[in-house]
Amino acid sequence: MGVPLFSFRLRDNAVLRALETSHAEEFAAHLDRAGDSIRPWVGRTFVTYDVEGARATLRRYAEGRAVDRARLYGIWVDDTLVGGVLFAAFDAVHGNCELGCWTEPAGAGHGLVTQACGALVDWAFHTRGLHRAEWQCRADNERSIAVARRLGMTLEGTLRESWPYEGVRYDKQVWSVLATEWRDHPAPEAGG
Ligand SMILES: CC(C)(COP(=O)(O)OP(=O)(O)OC[C@H]1O[C@@H](n2cnc3c(N)ncnc32)[C@H](O)[C@@H]1OP(=O)(O)O)[C@@H](O)C(=O)NCCC(=O)NCCS
């Protein structure tokens, strides 16, 4: 890999940077590794099965970014794409955004996702002046709930049986943090 443009350094060996259509093959290979572990927990169309599917997802987010409504970032560890974080929704007019995240097994358990989400919330609140960052997850997704807690989010409620997956309807939780609360929240720990 050459020198990446516009990287945000998470650790000595880990960076966060925009996931773009030029990453389609790398993203498809990553989804092959991640698929089974993330499919039950992420949006229905996120896990695709070939390069064209991966490219379509990247194009969708590129279009969202162009109109300031969504953004997608990858986490690279030692030059391998291992996961990412995103603005599933971004509404600068009303000051609201919704975050998302995922990782393949190799990227899990290092604090990278919480740290990357923290960078997105910092940018949304401090650079873009948004007021509210939301988190939606299946109510039985303990790893995701742990990230929301580490970000200092508050559980606002449960949308009953609103997450259909393979013939079962699961409850969905909604968490959030406000800009007024975030100022008091220490940055997620780096290093490790
Ligand atoms: C949700 C998900 C992204 C969380 O990944 P994760 O690696 O657990 O999250 P973090 O990056 O915050 O890592 C936290 C873990 O790293 C550990 N860690 C190790 N070094 C660390 C460091 N330097 N700093 C902080 N934490 C560190 C923490 O102790 C914690 O482990 P623990 O929960 O076993 O105590 C992952 O489980 C996943 O991809 N799930 C499937 C997809 C999904 O659910 N997406 C969310 C949809 S709403």
Side-chain angles (χ1 to χ4, degrees):
M1 189 183 73
V3 177
L5 284 175
F6 310 124
S7 286
F8 181 93
R9 197 170 71 90
L10 296 169
R11 309 279 166 85
D12 283 345
N13 64 341
V15 296
L16 179 68
R17 66 181 207 271
L19 252 179
E20 299 172 350
T21 50
S22 60
H23 297 120
E25 293 194 0
E26 203 177 355
F27 185 46
H30 159 66
L31 287 176
D32 273 352
R33 299 188 296 271
D36 289 343
S37 62
I38 69 173
R39 192 172 296 109
W41 313 109
V42 297
R44 213 161 35 89
T45 58
F46 192 75
V47 179
T48 51
Y49 298 91
D50 55 23
V51 175
E52 278 319 302
R55 198 188 315 280
T57 300
L58 297 174
R59 192 179 304 122
R60 202 168 65 241
Y61 277 93
E63 288 164 2
R65 183 185 178 127
V67 293
D68 203 22
R69 303 292 292 188
R71 283 161 198 266
L72 186 64
Y73 299 89
I75 297 171
W76 277 262
V77 174
D78 293 329
D79 292 344
T80 299
L81 178 62
V82 297
V85 292
L86 57 125
F87 289 111
F90 195 90
D91 180 351
V93 174
H94 297 96
N96 300 320
C97 62
E98 181 196 334
L99 301 177
C101 67
W102 80 96
T103 177
E104 65 181 66
H110 305 292
L112 290 168
V113 171
T114 298
Q115 197 186 348
C117 286
L120 262 53
V121 176
D122 267 343
W123 180 80
F125 288 170
H126 296 145
T127 304
R128 298 298 310 274
L130 267 60
H131 183 70
R132 173 188 161 87
E134 189 171 298
W135 189 269
Q136 299 189 1
C137 60
R138 258 174 63 170
D140 57 341
N141 190 346
E142 291 175 12
R143 305 293 300 180
S144 177
I145 288 168
V147 176
R149 285 188 200 284
R150 281 192 288 271
L151 290 167
M153 291 185 163
T154 297
L155 175 60
E156 297 185 324
T158 300
L159 308 183
R160 296 178 303 151
E161 299 187 3
S162 70
W163 189 303
Y165 180 71
E166 292 192 339
V168 179
R169 299 192 64 90
Y170 295 88
D171 290 351
K172 182 198 284 187
Q173 289 185 352
V174 179
W175 295 70
S176 77
V177 63
L178 306 178
T180 43
E181 299 161 343
W182 186 252
R183 288 189 197 106
D184 298 330
H185 184 71
E189 189 191 337

